[in-house]
Amino acid sequence: MKRLSAALAVAAVALAAGCGSGNGGDAASGQNGEPVKLRFLSLAWQKESIEANKQIVADWNKANPKIQVEYVQGSWDNVNDQLVTSFEAGDPPDVIHDDSPALSSFASRGFLLDLTGKVPAELKNDIPQAAWDTVTFSDGKSGQGVYGVPFLQESQVLIANKKLLDGAGVRVPTPDSPWTWDEFADVAKKLTKKGAYGVAWPMKSPVNKVLNLALNFGGTFFDTQNGKTTVKVGPQEREVLQRIHDQLYTDKSADPSALGMGTADPLPGFFAGKYAIVPAGVYLRQQVAEQAPSGFDWVTLPPLKGQTSQQGAVSQTLSVAADSKHPDEALKFIAYFLNGPNQAKLAKGDWLLPTSTTAAKDPALTTKENGWDVATASAKDLVVAPFLKVNGFDEWKSKVATPAMQEYFADKISLDELAKRLVEEGNKVLERYSR
């Protein structure tokens, strides 16, 4: 979800302003007939999403005069560093929007309220266990806790030029009958013509994409035994790596020049017919819908299938600060904010997938327009990303996996060399985090 790094760079100012109200304002809340006051740090950044967030807060405030919520606009840029500052100062927002990878560290340091047994049954039962797994972490002692409510997720789909698919006479897959990776390879070859490629793999940031797709073949890249985690790159982990490499250099159905691109960078070539298919997160549909030339016929295709169609996922989350003076009221607000109808609005605003099974049935998220039906159906195959539970993953990703995978996809090192570096250099990194 780090596409959100393009967010408005206002978090420092917003968070400071939100915390600037100090304990004095909240200390009197709920006393002498005054309403309880909560601060809600939102990281929504797209216009439609911000509007949805603010409207839900306004509706809550109108219906709940005794519990008033102040909307604090934040940004994904450096938000976690800024939150640490507010946590350590003892004055964090009551309700915090973040993503599940950030929760583990906050939980282990006692910054977040353990929501185990506290989430209202209606909300808890509306969200599948696989999503709850993305917010379940060690409490830093001897147990585990639930440190947020997951509400938006992302799957990897295929964005395709419908005219080119029809012209090649290939089968258009459906959620019930997706392409296998073998079919995908064959289709990409059929769609490759002089000056045009079947597929563009934007791999500027390859690690999360590869690790999430690797679950198609049971690849997890990490193994934990007796509390110690090591890197593993066996046959299951090699499948997706090898298949993408084959498209680039054996089949020559993927454009090597696209490797250095970010997710949206292939779109001009996609619109011009240079690329027939772009694998991407579901959110890319928004830019396609908004930027496609008049008359351009495109389609969202379901996730690929290996042994399964499973993909790793993380979640956007809402958490309650451990220092909140009004945790019960904060949870009531979260339960309202993330009910089915509201999650549908939030998902539509961000072009992502709701965790709410009620929201997933909303007509706005099941329409064929802009591929919402295919995108929403893909949520059923999301499971917790294995790397989410790995201490030291961020350093392994930035210092070892990203440069090594980029070299492999650029055909500068072999798959065996890639595996060796991921494991040997990676285990040195992880070892420091297990001491």
Side-chain angles (χ1 to χ4, degrees):
M1 291 186 188
K2 291 311 176 189
R3 66 169 181 123
L4 301 174
S5 61
L8 301 172
V10 297
V13 175
L15 193 53
C19 296
S21 58
N23 288 334
D26 278 355
S29 297
Q31 299 178 3
N32 302 320
E34 295 181 11
V36 167
K37 295 179 181 178
L38 303 174
R39 284 173 289 153
F40 166 40
L41 175 67
S42 170
L43 303 182
W45 64 279
Q46 300 200 77
K47 181 176 181 291
E48 187 176 353
S49 181
I50 291 173
E51 290 174 353
N53 272 254
K54 288 184 174 181
Q55 185 59 56
I56 295 171
V57 170
D59 291 344
W60 165 270
N61 285 338
K62 183 177 181 181
N64 296 272
K66 294 183 178 180
I67 307 174
Q68 293 292 285
V69 176
E70 176 191 358
Y71 179 92
V72 180
Q73 183 63 63
S75 164
W76 290 94
D77 295 335
N78 301 316
V79 65
N80 292 323
D81 291 337
Q82 294 149 9
L83 279 171
V84 168
T85 300
S86 67
F87 284 134
E88 292 179 341
D91 190 28
D94 299 276
V95 178
I96 299 164
H97 179 188
D98 211 316
D99 60 11
S100 49
L103 302 190
S104 177
S105 174
F106 291 158
S108 66
R109 298 169 72 177
F111 292 151
L112 300 178
L113 183 69
D114 180 2
L115 304 182
T116 303
K118 297 180 173 67
V119 178
E122 184 177 0
L123 177 60
K124 186 177 188 303
N125 295 334
D126 192 34
I127 297 174
Q129 184 58 45
W132 287 112
D133 289 343
T134 67
V135 294
T136 302
F137 296 97
S138 168
D139 59 9
K141 300 171 186 175
S142 58
Q144 289 196 322
V146 174
Y147 291 98
V149 179
F151 70 103
L152 290 178
Q153 296 183 321
E154 171 192 325
S155 66
Q156 295 289 317
V157 293
L158 304 174
I159 309 295
N161 183 319
K162 184 65 162 55
K163 181 179 178 180
L164 294 180
L165 294 184
D166 292 342
V170 301
R171 178 180 76 87
V172 176
T174 65
D176 293 330
S177 183
W179 281 339
T180 64
W181 276 84
D182 288 340
E183 285 180 281
F184 175 50
D186 290 340
V187 167
K189 285 190 285 187
K190 288 181 181 178
L191 293 168
T192 299
K193 311 290 183 184
K194 185 176 181 180
Y197 291 89
V199 60
W201 282 100
M203 287 292 191
K204 184 177 182 180
S205 301
V207 180
N208 284 36
K209 181 175 292 187
V210 168
L211 268 58
N212 288 334
L213 292 175
L215 285 173
N216 285 180
F217 297 94
T220 61
F221 282 88
F222 299 100
D223 181 53
T224 301
Q225 300 289 337
N226 300 317
K228 181 178 180 180
T229 300
T230 55
V231 184
K232 71 183 185 80
V233 185
Q236 295 168 311
E237 287 75 23
R238 290 176 179 235
E239 282 280 358
V240 165
L241 290 164
Q242 183 68 66
R243 289 170 182 272
I244 295 174
H245 193 276
D246 284 348
Q247 287 189 322
L248 288 160
Y249 303 107
T250 301
D251 300 344
K252 299 187 185 303
S253 59
D255 183 7
S257 69
L259 290 171
M261 295 182 180
T263 300
D265 293 338
L267 288 185
F270 176 65
F271 296 143
K274 182 178 180 180
Y275 309 127
I277 301 171
V278 179
V282 289
Y283 60 81
L284 189 64
R285 296 171 301 124
Q286 179 184 19
Q287 286 170 271
V288 177
E290 293 176 351
Q291 298 174 16
S294 177
F296 184 82
D297 192 8
W298 63 281
V299 62
T300 302
L301 305 180
L304 297 169
K305 182 177 181 179
Q307 295 169 351
T308 72
S309 294
Q310 284 190 347
Q311 294 185 24
V314 298
S315 305
Q316 289 188 37
T317 59
L318 291 188
S319 300
V320 178
D323 282 344
S324 172
K325 294 176 174 58
H326 307 290
D328 292 341
E329 291 84 353
L331 264 172
K332 288 179 182 178
F333 169 68
I334 288 176
Y336 172 80
F337 192 87
L338 298 183
N339 67 29
N342 286 339
Q343 273 207 45
K345 296 173 186 175
L346 296 169
K348 195 166 187 301
D350 261 335
W351 292 69
L352 291 170
L353 310 177
T355 57
S356 162
T357 56
T358 301
K361 299 173 185 175
D362 191 288
L365 303 186
T366 56
T367 176
K368 292 184 181 299
E369 185 179 4
N370 295 326
W372 272 109
D373 55 340
V374 174
T376 300
S378 69
K380 71 182 186 301
D381 293 315
L382 294 179
V383 298
V384 61
F387 60 80
L388 189 58
K389 311 290 183 175
V390 176
N391 289 330
F393 170 74
D394 287 343
E395 184 177 344
W396 176 82
K397 173 183 172 179
S398 62
K399 294 184 178 179
V400 179
T402 295
M405 285 188 187
Q406 288 174 336
E407 287 183 48
Y408 171 67
F409 287 128
D411 207 28
K412 294 180 179 179
I413 61 174
S414 68
L415 183 53
D416 286 341
E417 176 63 22
L418 170 64
K420 181 180 179 181
R421 286 173 55 177
L422 293 178
V423 172
E424 293 182 0
E425 296 176 25
N427 284 338
K428 291 178 182 178
V429 170
L430 299 189
E431 177 68 26
R432 295 200 301 274
Y433 288 83
S434 63
R435 293 169 185 167

